[in-house]
RNA sequence: GCGUUCGUGGUGUAGGGGUAGCACAAGAGGUUUCCAACCUCUUAGCCCGGGUUCAAAUCCCGGCGAGCGCACCA
């Protein structure tokens, strides 16, 4: 196995980065004074600002498409929703423990060679297979505890104890968009494609959270559900996209093996199977690069059919490389019509569809047996409505009467002369109802923030001393500039306070002031948490109102009047000063 | 969940049955005309709960947390 440069870990860098994140209030263990809880983290004053700004960029990124809107739905979700979505079944894997060595396994995996569809077995059936002499993969003993469901969702109860409804903390935000599909369809005047985004918390009761902020029990998600007509999927022009990206296609498919090519080429070659999925891969790339992910450390990996989620037909992970190796940070799935169809059948909703207008109205000839209610009703009484329904769906019309008609539940009735009338009708059909397909890019915000921090963190040396930079992209840092009075006297702190207030009164700029200790130390503090601009107030500032502005990334300084800094902060042209 | 290593100020560490040190960081003051300078002072710590002991940060047990390996990860 060849070790790529990406795999060569810098000894201790992860520890130093984590220590800095704790010390500077970026990311810290949650509930620390009570011993902490595994899988839960706090964003401190610096981290929370970074998270909010990155999330806002994500929202703006998708809203700028014009056919995507933002929604917000509850985190507490009734059980029935998650039964329909498949999460209650899928998250209730039966687990069993080896009595000898204590190892835990998914029971269905242990017996899958004995049953074609082990996943569907109930706990008693699984126990029978387990008792038939299954060896423990780790210690080869054959003694198993009874299989028990282990749900990865946090459960709760809505309402008073005895009458409460079972509910779960949502494991994904996506269901909120599906619940609102009818409202979205109205909002967009019944025209597809359209999409809805939501950001917020998701919850998964992980068995073993690991790797800092990579596997959390409560995490920040950002998901887009993009509803399309499967027969007329939107096709974006990828020809202008020239960037070359790493792709790892399905290992069982025709294109197995890592390759590098443009998004357009990947679609043309059939590696990416769906044009809309290809477009979202490209837009995901755009977002990640915008917030400061190193493009060299991004790759797209196609799921093998064996690891596909229960709802997905084609699925790509966007993986980012960092201190923990390649980590899935975005999942882009073609969920097809699975969710909407399932919710339509589990609920009473009949509106989870879209209308597809034919370009030309189609003339359709219907050959049918029209029921005569006046005869069918009195004859079949309670079964009459089932008989009418069965006649409506009859495709192979009998050549003659009477005939036997299946009406469901194993029952059949005899249809005789006079009960029906054979009609050949011609109708104009101008369109049809269909269930939209859904393309879902799902972003793990915490994982992306981790990699933004990882890629931005640079350990340098300054006059023989260790010196660290956080080279965050503009608009991602906790504040945009720090205002530094050169000395904490002679009117400089007062002027610095005025400038700070003026910047903070701008709509999208943030500044803070730092007046303690030497100027070099204050620059270092700002560099360490990634503040891109430092404004220094000195004696000249008192005289003419100009300040020096220092650029974090090369420590260059120029003298500018405060008014110009304010206007350039507003229109994002600070870089042009250098 | 199992195994394993570990848990000392904000961060990093020393000590390992008898007064808990150091460095950096932070706060106050001084000095200083732009990149972690210096001086004085200050704040701040043995993860939690049991046990052994005259005495526990130290030894033992349990819990919680962190890293790693196995398992799990729709």
């Amino acid at each position: 196995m060849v070790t790529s440069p990406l795999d060569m870990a810098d000894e201790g860098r992860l520890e130093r980065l984590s220590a800095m994140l704790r010390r500077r209030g970026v990311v810290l263990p949650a509930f620390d004074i009570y011993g902490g809880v595994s899988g839960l983290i706090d964003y401190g004053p610096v981290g929370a600002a970074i998270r909010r700004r990155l999330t806002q960029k994500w929202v703006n990124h998708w809203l700028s498409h014009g056919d995507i809107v933002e929604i917000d739905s509850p985190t507490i979700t009734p059980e029935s929703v998650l039964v329909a979505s498949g999460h209650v079944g899928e998250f209730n894997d039966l687990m069993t423990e080896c009595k000898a060595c204590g190892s835990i396994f998914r029971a269905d995996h242990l017996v899958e060679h004995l049953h074609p569809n082990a996943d569907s077995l109930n706990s008693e059936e699984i126990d029978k297979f387990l008792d038939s002499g299954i060896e423990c993969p780790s210690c080869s003993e054959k003694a198993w505890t009874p299989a028990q469901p282990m749900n990865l969702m946090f459960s709760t109860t809505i309402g008073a104890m005895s009458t409460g409804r079972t509910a779960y903390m949502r494991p994904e935000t996506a269901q909120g968009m599906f619940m609102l599909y009818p409202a979205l369809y109205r909002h967009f005047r019944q025209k597809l494609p359209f999409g809805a985004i939501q950001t917020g918390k998701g919850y998964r009761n992980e068995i073993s959270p690991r790797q800092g902020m990579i596997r959390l029990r409560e995490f920040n998600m950002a998901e887009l559900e993009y509803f399309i007509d499967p027969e007329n999927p939107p096709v974006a022009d990828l020809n202008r996209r020239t960037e070359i990206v790493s792709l790892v296609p399905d290992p069982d498919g025709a294109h197995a093996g890592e390759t590098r090519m443009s998004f357009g080429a990947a679609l043309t070659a059939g590696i990416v199977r769906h044009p809309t999925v290809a477009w979202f891969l490209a837009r995901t790339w755009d977002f990640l690069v915008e917030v400061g992910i190193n493009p060299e450390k991004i790759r797209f990996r196609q799921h093998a059919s064996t690891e596909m989620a229960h709802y997905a037909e084609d699925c790509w992970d966007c993986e980012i490389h960092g201190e923990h190796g390649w980590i899935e940070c975005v999942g882009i799935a073609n969920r097809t019509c699975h969710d909407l169809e399932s919710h339509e059948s589990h609920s009473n909703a009949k509106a989870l569809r879209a209308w597809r207008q034919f370009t030309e109205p189609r003339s359709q000839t219907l050959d049918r047996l029209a029921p005569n209610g006046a005869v069918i009703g009195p004859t079949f009484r309670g079964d009459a409505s089932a008989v009418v329904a069965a006649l409506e769906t009859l495709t192979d019309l009998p050549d003659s009467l009477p005939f036997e008609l299946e009406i469901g539940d194993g029952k059949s009735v005899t249809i005789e002369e006079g009960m029906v009338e054979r009609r050949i009708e011609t109708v104009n059909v101008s369109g049809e109802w269909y269930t939209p397909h859904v393309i879902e890019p799902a972003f793990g915000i915490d994982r992306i923030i981790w990699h933004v921090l990882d890629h931005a963190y640079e350990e340098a040396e300054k006059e023989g001393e260790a010196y660290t930079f956080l080279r965050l992209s503009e608009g991602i840092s906790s504040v945009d500039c720090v205002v530094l009075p050169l000395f904490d006297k002679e009117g400089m702190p007062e002027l610095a306070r005025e400038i700070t207030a003026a910047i903070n009164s701008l709509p999208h700029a943030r500044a803070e002031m730092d007046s303690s200790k030497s100027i070099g130390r204050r620059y270092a503090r700002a560099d360490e948490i990634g503040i891109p601009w430092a404004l220094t107030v000195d004696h000249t500032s008192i005289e003419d109102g100009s300040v020096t502005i220092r650029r974090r990334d090369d420590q260059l300084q120029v003298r500018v009047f405060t008014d110009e800094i304010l206007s350039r902060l507003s229109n994002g042209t600070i870089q042009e000063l250098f």
Side-chain angles (χ1 to χ4, degrees):
Chain A
M1 186 161 177
V2 181
T3 306
S4 82
L6 289 179
D7 296 328
M8 290 196 289
D10 180 356
E11 195 65 37
R13 180 178 183 271
L14 174 60
E15 283 71 25
R16 291 189 297 276
L17 171 55
S18 302
M20 186 278 282
L21 297 179
R22 280 196 297 276
R23 181 163 38 81
R24 297 305 307 273
V26 184
V27 183
L28 310 88
F31 310 109
D32 199 31
I33 65 169
Y34 285 98
V37 180
S38 185
L40 301 179
I41 58 162
D42 280 330
Y43 285 96
V46 174
I50 291 171
R51 202 214 77 190
R52 181 169 296 283
R53 291 183 128 192
L54 183 138
T55 305
Q56 191 58 49
K57 271 197 192 285
W58 187 88
V59 169
N60 294 341
H61 178 78
W62 296 112
L63 290 186
S64 72
H65 281 232
D67 60 355
I68 293 172
V69 291
E70 183 179 12
I71 63 136
D72 192 72
S73 51
T75 57
I76 297 175
T77 308
E79 183 175 40
S80 45
V81 173
L82 295 162
V83 168
S85 71
H87 288 95
V88 169
E90 288 289 330
F91 272 37
N92 261 316
D93 295 324
L94 289 166
M95 307 294 286
T96 183
E97 183 177 343
C98 171
K99 287 178 181 171
C101 71
S103 299
I104 306 250
F105 296 94
R106 274 183 62 164
D108 57 325
H109 287 185
L110 288 172
V111 304
E112 62 192 356
H113 60 288
L114 299 175
H115 193 279
N117 198 4
D119 196 27
S120 64
L121 297 171
N122 65 33
S123 59
E124 286 169 18
E125 292 163 337
I126 286 250
D127 286 343
K128 273 183 208 161
F129 282 112
L130 287 174
D131 291 339
S132 72
I134 302 289
E135 274 191 13
C136 172
S138 49
C139 74
S140 301
E141 287 296 317
K142 296 175 182 177
W144 298 100
T145 62
Q148 288 191 321
M150 188 191 59
N151 200 305
L152 289 175
M153 291 192 291
F154 288 98
S155 62
T156 187
T157 307
I158 302 173
M161 293 159 83
S162 60
T163 57
R165 283 174 85 180
T166 301
Y168 300 96
M169 305 304 290
R170 66 183 177 195
E172 59 173 20
T173 62
Q175 298 307 319
M177 277 73 101
F178 298 129
M179 295 302 100
L180 279 181
Y181 174 81
L184 292 165
Y185 186 62
R186 281 196 302 277
H187 176 87
F188 284 103
R189 312 280 158 72
Q190 291 100 317
K191 287 187 193 71
L192 270 64
F194 58 75
I197 56 171
Q198 174 167 210
T199 66
K201 292 295 185 74
Y203 303 83
R204 292 174 199 184
N205 202 355
E206 295 284 351
I207 302 165
S208 172
R210 283 283 170 85
Q211 298 172 308
M213 42 194 306
I214 301 299
R215 283 180 66 190
L216 297 169
R217 288 187 165 127
E218 172 172 333
F219 46 92
N220 291 285
M221 319 181 76
E223 296 184 302
L224 160 63
E225 307 301 324
Y226 197 69
F227 298 94
I228 61 169
D229 178 348
E231 291 189 5
N232 185 26
V235 180
D237 180 13
L238 290 169
N239 290 325
R240 280 178 296 170
R241 314 272 326 205
T242 54
E243 59 276 84
I244 302 298
V245 298
S246 284
L247 299 168
V248 185
D250 181 352
D252 304 331
H255 304 280
E258 185 160 353
T259 60
R260 290 176 62 80
M261 61 176 75
S262 68
F263 290 109
L267 180 63
T268 308
I271 293 173
V272 180
R273 294 168 197 155
H274 195 284
T276 313
V277 169
W279 170 239
F280 283 130
L281 293 180
R283 292 299 286 152
T284 295
W285 168 275
D286 292 339
F287 172 74
L288 294 176
V289 172
E290 184 192 352
V291 298
I293 297 294
N294 180 349
E296 295 299 310
K297 298 184 176 183
I298 299 175
R299 75 181 183 194
F300 292 93
R301 193 176 65 82
Q302 188 172 36
H303 279 205
S305 45
T306 48
E307 71 171 317
M308 211 87 82
H310 64 270
Y311 45 71
E313 184 166 275
D314 184 20
C315 193
W316 287 81
D317 283 347
C318 178
E319 299 181 327
I320 306 178
H321 193 273
E323 288 286 350
H324 298 293
W326 285 105
I327 297 290
E328 172 195 354
C329 294
V330 184
I332 297 152
N334 178 1
R335 296 176 70 134
T336 70
C337 55
H338 169 272
D339 296 273
L340 290 177
E341 266 186 0
S342 183
H343 283 304
E344 195 172 86
S345 65
H346 281 78
S347 70
N348 290 321
K350 291 286 170 278
L352 304 185
R353 301 202 184 175
W355 177 254
R356 181 187 293 131
Q357 189 87 28
F358 297 143
T359 40
E360 298 273 315
R362 293 176 195 172
S363 174
Q364 233 173 34
T365 304
L366 283 179
D367 188 3
R368 61 192 280 257
L369 290 173
N372 183 350
V375 179
I376 288 175
T379 310
F380 300 113
R381 294 173 174 273
D383 289 333
S385 58
V387 172
V388 171
L391 286 170
E392 291 292 346
T393 59
L394 204 59
T395 46
D396 290 330
L397 299 190
D399 296 331
S400 61
L401 297 174
F403 75 102
E404 287 295 307
L405 175 68
E406 305 270 343
I407 63 167
D409 286 342
K411 284 198 249 181
S412 65
V413 295
T414 306
I415 301 297
E416 292 172 8
E417 207 73 50
M419 292 181 180
V420 294
E421 182 189 347
R422 181 140 191 177
R423 285 194 204 153
I424 297 174
E425 296 170 352
T426 302
V427 291
N428 280 331
V429 183
S430 56
E432 62 187 342
W433 290 99
Y434 68 98
T435 303
H437 282 206
V438 178
I439 312 291
E440 176 199 79
F443 289 65
I445 294 294
D446 309 282
R447 290 179 173 193
I448 291 168
I449 289 175
W450 165 259
H451 287 95
V452 166
L453 295 170
D454 184 338
H455 293 183
Y457 181 70
E458 181 184 320
E459 299 185 317
E461 208 172 82
K462 205 167 178 179
E463 285 154 31
E465 269 192 280
Y467 195 97
T468 68
F469 292 95
L470 205 57
R471 299 196 189 276
L472 295 173
S473 295
E474 273 197 84
I476 294 294
S477 56
S478 55
V479 298
D480 302 290
C481 43
V482 60
V483 185
L484 310 171
L486 187 57
F487 301 109
D488 201 13
K489 58 185 181 185
E490 294 166 30
M492 293 178 205
E494 290 76 9
L495 180 54
R497 234 185 309 279
E498 275 177 39
I499 294 171
T500 307
I503 293 170
N504 280 326
S505 69
L506 299 173
H508 299 296
R510 282 286 162 271
E512 63 186 24
M513 192 174 131
D514 188 357
S515 57
S516 61
K517 301 252 163 103
S518 75
I519 190 71
R521 179 170 294 197
R522 283 179 274 161
Y523 288 140
R525 279 198 286 242
D527 290 338
E528 189 178 40
I529 58 168
I531 301 173
W533 309 109
L535 311 184
T536 306
V537 175
D538 57 13
H539 287 105
T540 312
S541 311
I542 305 291
E543 288 163 17
D544 66 7
S546 67
V547 297
T548 60
I549 179 165
R550 170 189 180 272
R551 182 161 63 185
R552 175 197 67 207
D553 288 336
D554 53 12
Q555 296 114 74
L556 286 180
Q557 266 179 317
V558 295
R559 182 168 286 277
V560 190
F561 286 100
T562 311
D563 287 347
E564 182 169 4
I565 289 181
L566 289 174
S567 66
R568 287 186 180 277
L569 274 174
S570 299
N571 60 26
T573 57
I574 287 265
Q575 288 286 6
E576 294 170 16
L577 287 169
F578 291 84

